[in-house]
Amino acid sequence: MQLPLGTEDLLTLHRRMTLSRQLDEELTRLSRAGSIRGPMHTSTGQEAAGIGATAALRPGDVVTLTHRPHAQYVGMEIPLGPCIAEMAGRATGLSGGRAGHMIIADATRGVLGASGVVGHSLLLAVGHGYAHKLAGRGAVTLCVTGDGAVNSGAFNEALNMAALWQLPVIFVVENNQYGLTVRLDRHVHETTLAARGRGYGIPGTRVDGNDVEEVHRAVREAADRARSGGGPALIEAVTYRTGPFSMSDRGGYRIEAEGSGFTDPLELSAQRLRDRGVAASRLEEIDRAVAGELAEAIEFALSSPWPDPADLTEHIQRWDGVPA
Amino acid sequence: MRELTYAAALNEALLEEMERDGNVVVLGQDVALYGGVFGVTAGLMNKFGDRRVVDTPISENGMVGAAVGMAMSGLRPIVEIMYADFLSLALDSLANAASVFSFIHANQLSVPMVVRTQGGTGSAAGPQHSKSLEVWTAHLPYVHTVMPASPADAKGLLKSAIRSEEPVVFLEHRGLYQVTGPVPEGESLVPLGTASIVRPGSHVTVCALSRMVGEASAAADDLADEGISVEVIDVRSLRPLDTALLAASARRTGRVVVMAESWLRYGPTAEIASVITEAAFAELRAPVVRLGAKGIPVPASPALEAATVPSRTVLAESIRSLMER
């Protein structure tokens, strides 16, 4: 998408954020109903960061993701049915039911490195970036990580290497104010995370992570610079996780009303679209269309067969000689 | 056939594979300008440049994690971790990324990467630089653990490792780098997952790992004078394990000793002994004997270090007792 964003572009981003929000609402429902098992980390409130950032990519680019990857999945346009089927552990899932919701990959779309382990997205991005630099085709890696990850050793290792080798990697820290239940100011002293870029000699930028246009602009500029050999960038997208950290969240760790200072990213984009003369009915139509698309994908996922364990024993036999 | 050192054989494998495939890159601490602290990567940077032979910061998890990304993006990275002891820093990337991604995404992408490292006793390097940690990586599904004992295998196995579509941990032995042996000219690949009979025999089978293969061969020489015929098997690939070759030998001899430099308890010798027992129980004349390191950190003093790991003498005594069963 070109900058500045035209109305149709903003509509596309609004539609993706709507899909991400509704997807998370449905996943919450399906998890509670037991139709999807295992951990579930939704991105409610953080849609603008994931959608705005991924929209700055082009074919051939790569994104590495965190354990809270749904907005990036939507932004990278992973096919919705196989995506939900993977989360539900079905044979039609993108990894045949081996991955679950956290670590879905789609090599054809450049989704190469979601991970349930905090810090992996940073290290994988260094590797992708190195490969892209050697290939010399101007591809970039978008590395999405969280505020909890900035205190991992991997953060230091990755930013140092990316800066040292001037790799085309854009590190986006989705600062959602919490590392699991521990609030930002209780896990770092310097709460402006973009300030850390300076220590590595790379530009650090802080943006409103709930403003999809602002996130997109910052990532787009960083990507343009990286493509032309300008090296990595660190972008802190300040946002707020309004939902639970996972379905097992017992609560009791937040200050009441602390999220009131944050704008809902969907309300913000809807208001901007109305200000630009987009009819309310068009936005309602987006809501309805997304709901229909989602219902179809869920129906596909939940009516899909379970994977056959025989596919696994073939693998075991080759390695360990265990009879099927 | 020309004689090469184990280190030179490894160097030749790296050179040939980097010439053959432009996607092969080497990274690690001191591997480029300096040529590796054990000299294994010597000359590579001059030949292939500092974009394919890369000196890294001291960031073990970073190096291995980055290699996973590189492999997913089409490169074939070879990471050198200076000492096997420092694998602890990179186990996250091996266990939670390399092993997992190649399993779950096998239908759409592979993770062709090699982690080279070295370990073992004999250089008085102390408790943080002498460990044999093959059990750590052999415990990871979908990750090969390879342990060459001879220069020819060092070269042939490393070439196969670099060409493998799956992650390979390649455990060299520091005490072997200067050992010489015949290495075939030209293309000579040794397939992963295969053991080899380095010395045929009929009374006892010794399944040995890495430097212990040499100890076993020396003990076999000693025992031949006493009329005991020892078959020495170089296990070579710990995972996948060549169960068929090991079991067939056990059935022929009926007596088995498994010998490694790693800690005895909960180590690879237990797995091998168990596999052989399951496959050849009826033909065994006695329980499989295991030899490994005493359950203590490796002491630095040369006078103490040698006492912690098995030797040709300990093995010969074990075999003599076993012959009475």
Side-chain angles (χ1 to χ4, degrees):
Chain A
M1 278 172 214
Q2 297 305 309
L3 285 171
L5 291 176
T7 301
E8 287 304 312
D9 292 334
L10 185 55
L11 270 167
T12 300
L13 297 184
H14 180 77
R15 190 193 151 280
R16 288 179 186 167
M17 289 197 293
T18 304
L19 177 54
S20 182
R21 175 72 56 89
Q22 290 192 17
L23 173 64
D24 279 340
E25 285 165 358
E26 286 299 312
L27 292 172
T28 300
R29 185 179 64 77
L30 294 169
S31 282
R32 294 214 164 112
S35 305
I36 291 182
R37 304 280 303 279
M40 176 57 68
H41 310 90
T42 54
S43 312
T44 315
Q46 301 177 220
E47 293 86 355
I51 298 300
T54 48
L57 300 182
R58 63 189 197 197
D61 293 341
V62 164
V63 62
T64 69
L65 316 84
T66 69
H67 62 290
R68 195 179 300 288
H70 298 166
Q72 285 86 51
Y73 290 165
V74 170
M76 298 301 279
E77 300 192 299
I78 285 188
L80 206 48
C83 176
I84 298 171
E86 184 58 42
M87 296 177 181
R90 304 308 172 106
T92 54
L94 275 156
S95 288
R98 298 177 181 197
H101 98 96
M102 279 180 279
I103 40 181
I104 292 175
D106 186 341
T108 59
R109 288 172 179 80
V111 180
L112 280 179
S115 181
V117 178
V118 172
H120 278 186
S121 61
L122 294 148
L123 301 178
L124 296 171
V126 170
H128 292 305
Y130 201 90
H132 291 155
K133 183 166 175 136
L134 282 196
R137 286 194 284 270
V140 302
T141 302
L142 168 67
C143 167
V144 180
T145 192
D147 56 287
V150 302
N151 301 320
S152 71
F155 183 85
N156 177 55
E157 298 191 11
L159 267 71
N160 183 52
M161 284 192 275
L164 182 66
W165 298 323
Q166 289 293 290
L167 301 181
V169 180
I170 303 115
F171 297 100
V172 172
V173 176
E174 286 188 326
N175 177 0
N176 70 8
Q177 312 299 318
Y178 277 92
L180 218 148
T181 70
V182 181
R183 202 177 58 228
L184 182 69
D185 62 357
R186 293 198 289 125
H187 72 75
V188 288
H189 178 67
E190 170 52 75
T191 54
T192 300
L193 303 177
R196 292 193 179 200
R198 193 167 169 191
Y200 300 97
I202 63 178
T205 314
R206 193 173 217 232
V207 299
D208 178 355
N210 286 359
D211 181 339
V212 73
E213 290 181 293
E214 197 176 322
V215 173
H216 177 254
R217 188 179 307 116
V219 175
R220 179 62 188 254
E221 282 167 8
D224 287 346
R225 193 170 58 246
R227 284 187 214 288
S228 55
L234 173 65
I235 295 167
E236 177 189 3
V238 182
T239 180
Y240 188 72
R241 166 167 63 70
T242 57
F245 67 76
S246 81
M247 294 304 116
S248 63
D249 192 334
R250 297 192 308 278
Y253 56 87
R254 296 199 204 243
I255 299 167
E256 202 160 340
E258 69 179 2
S260 61
F262 293 88
T263 321
D264 183 297
L266 276 85
E267 284 173 17
L268 180 64
S269 62
Q271 185 56 49
R272 285 203 184 138
L273 286 163
R274 283 192 295 268
D275 291 348
R276 292 190 196 185
V278 174
S281 61
R282 188 148 179 215
L283 299 180
E284 287 158 17
E285 175 50 31
I286 286 176
D287 282 353
R288 273 196 303 277
V290 162
E293 193 186 332
L294 199 48
E296 210 172 288
I298 292 169
E299 165 64 20
F300 166 82
L302 297 186
S303 64
S304 291
W306 294 101
D308 183 355
D311 296 342
L312 291 178
T313 45
E314 188 185 336
H315 145 74
I316 294 167
Q317 263 189 297
R318 185 174 77 72
W319 276 80
D320 296 332
V322 178
Chain B
M1 208 183 295
R2 77 248 156 83
E3 298 262 324
L4 287 181
T5 64
Y6 185 89
L10 291 163
N11 181 258
E12 201 170 83
L14 292 171
L15 192 133
E16 287 176 14
E17 291 306 299
M18 291 189 80
E19 269 175 346
R20 191 186 60 80
D21 182 349
N23 287 320
V24 176
V25 295
V26 168
L27 59 154
Q29 288 140 31
D30 311 289
V31 297
L33 187 63
Y34 189 62
V37 291
F38 301 99
V40 173
T41 57
L44 296 179
M45 189 189 80
N46 286 343
K47 195 163 175 61
F48 301 105
D50 61 5
R51 286 156 66 92
R52 290 183 64 198
V53 186
V54 188
D55 276 329
T56 61
I58 301 174
S59 298
E60 280 83 1
N61 198 36
M63 289 142 61
V64 176
V68 177
M70 289 178 180
M72 290 164 96
S73 267
L75 296 179
R76 287 184 174 264
I78 305 165
V79 182
E80 179 174 310
I81 300 286
M82 200 181 291
Y83 284 79
D85 309 66
F86 310 157
L87 272 178
S88 57
L89 296 155
L91 271 181
D92 169 50
S93 287
L94 273 176
N96 293 320
S99 165
V100 172
F101 292 160
S102 60
F103 170 66
I104 62 175
H105 304 318
N107 54 342
Q108 50 177 325
L109 57 92
S110 56
V111 186
M113 58 181 281
V114 180
V115 175
R116 283 183 48 244
T117 187
Q118 58 79 34
T121 59
S123 62
Q128 294 170 330
H129 295 77
S130 303
K131 289 194 270 296
S132 297
L133 296 172
E134 52 270 25
V135 67
W136 287 10
T137 57
H139 197 71
L140 302 175
Y142 239 102
V143 174
H144 294 259
T145 296
V146 179
M147 304 178 70
S150 71
D153 280 352
K155 182 178 175 187
L157 286 167
L158 183 53
K159 286 171 75 85
S160 293
I162 295 166
R163 297 185 196 186
S164 168
E165 290 299 321
E166 289 156 343
V168 179
V169 176
F170 199 85
L171 292 165
E172 298 156 16
H173 196 294
R174 193 174 337 139
L176 296 176
Y177 280 133
Q178 296 313 314
V179 169
T180 56
V183 178
E185 303 264 8
E187 182 93 338
S188 180
L189 296 175
V190 176
L192 303 182
T194 63
S196 82
I197 298 173
V198 295
R199 178 190 177 109
S202 56
H203 294 138
V204 183
T205 297
V206 179
C207 302
L209 297 172
S210 192
R211 187 175 68 86
M212 292 297 111
V213 175
E215 295 290 303
S217 298
D221 284 342
D222 298 344
L223 292 165
D225 299 338
E226 300 168 29
I228 302 173
S229 167
V230 178
E231 177 149 295
V232 179
I233 293 177
D234 179 355
V235 174
R236 207 159 65 172
S237 275
L238 184 57
R239 181 84 181 273
L241 186 64
D242 191 349
T243 311
L245 185 135
L246 270 48
S249 176
R251 286 191 200 100
R252 278 198 306 276
T253 63
R255 300 180 184 90
V256 180
V257 182
V258 188
M259 186 185 197
E261 229 179 296
S262 48
W263 284 307
L264 184 70
R265 297 299 173 195
Y266 306 99
T269 57
E271 174 67 20
I272 295 170
S274 177
V275 159
I276 289 173
T277 304
E278 285 162 6
F281 183 67
E283 289 94 339
L284 290 178
R285 294 163 181 247
V288 175
V289 175
R290 296 191 288 137
L291 299 177
K294 293 184 171 69
I296 50 172
V298 182
S301 164
L304 301 174
E305 185 185 36
T308 64
V309 294
S311 63
R312 65 194 285 182
T313 318
V314 171
L315 174 62
E317 278 165 24
S318 296
I319 291 173
R320 288 187 195 104
S321 326
L322 191 54
M323 286 302 291
E324 290 163 15
R325 302 289 297 265

